[in-house]
Amino acid sequence: MNILREGASVRALKVCIYDEEAEYVKKLSAFLNRQGEGQFKVRAVTNVDSLLEYVENGQLDMLIAVNPDLICRIKQMKENIHVLWLKEKEERILNRELVGMAAVSRYAGAKKICQIVKEVAAGERQRMEQTIPAAAIYSPVGRCGKTRLALEIAKNADYGWIYVGMEDYGWLEQQQEDNPEKAGDALLYYVKERNKEQVFKIMEECQGIIPSAFSPFDSKIMGKKEWEWLVHTMQEYNGCSGVLFDVGTGILQEPAWLCVFDYIVVPYLKEQPALNKKEKFEALIEAYGLYEIQEKLRFVDMGNEEDIRKSKQELWCRG
């Protein structure tokens, strides 16, 4: 397994500075962007609704803000977000979520704030370089061979990927033969318990295949936080080259959830009804403003063997 992932660049940290004082965030964001040098990109935000939309759509890695109540609200929405609390004065911390949080005086100066952002970006870059890639295979087109393609990618022992079933009514032979313990159901249970050790154990014993849970209704209980925790946890496992989630249309409740993946394979067929669904999927991604997802999409023509071969190779090279 390559620790530095071939073919995958570490993207810039997405940072938002929120403050009601427009001139302050405008000047601070401009200074930080001049200093970013590809490490981070900073957006100035003065509207709470816009900030919440960025969080929901996976367009935020780090928040810089003054309001402690807003910070706690954002942390509840996205557990793994980085936060820099700009304190206007020394004050008693009443909320436990703020304990130990990175903080600096709002008046410390742009250089001091920039140094902290650079440290966070460097840490995130190191984390990304030392984790395995997580990809999703998802398609708005039914019966296009999505699961077959996913299994062909995972079953190639030369590359060592793990297949993770998240299908509505997924059924594999492995559920009868190789996985009598119902690994898919156990996986959902340990996600709810946030039990990283047991998730790693399932990955170690799964022989490359973790089938979908028996009940699609159990899978649908997974919220955005559970998806993020599961994907980030699996990325820390060092016993494989990558993880590939086979995501059913009925399981994915919001398109923004795809932001958590490094790469998204979208199989389709060159038949008019299928092409109409593909175009509608692209239009939805555009309408939701999920530009980060657009950069990760890899459409695969399932009627073109050469395109299928290339898509497999591109994904394997990321591991």
Side-chain angles (χ1 to χ4, degrees), residues 6 14 29-30 32-33 41 43 56 66 70 83 85-86 90 120 122 144 171 185 204-205 260 272 282 284 300:
E6 182 181 346
K14 294 170 291 187
S29 63
L32 293 177
N33 279 322
K41 294 179 181 178
R43 179 185 278 123
E56 287 288 346
V66 173
L70 177 63
V83 172
W85 179 19
L86 300 181
E90 287 301 321
V120 171
C144 63
W171 182 259
D185 294 280
E204 182 180 352
E205 298 176 352
V260 73
Q272 198 54 53
E282 293 179 273
L284 283 170
V300 183

Side-chain angles (χ1 to χ4, degrees), residues 173-186 205-207 211:
E173 290 299 321
Q174 285 81 2
Q175 282 172 290
Q176 280 188 313
E177 300 169 3
D178 301 334
N179 291 271
E181 299 301 321
K182 298 182 178 179
D185 294 280
E205 298 176 352
C206 72
Q207 300 178 40

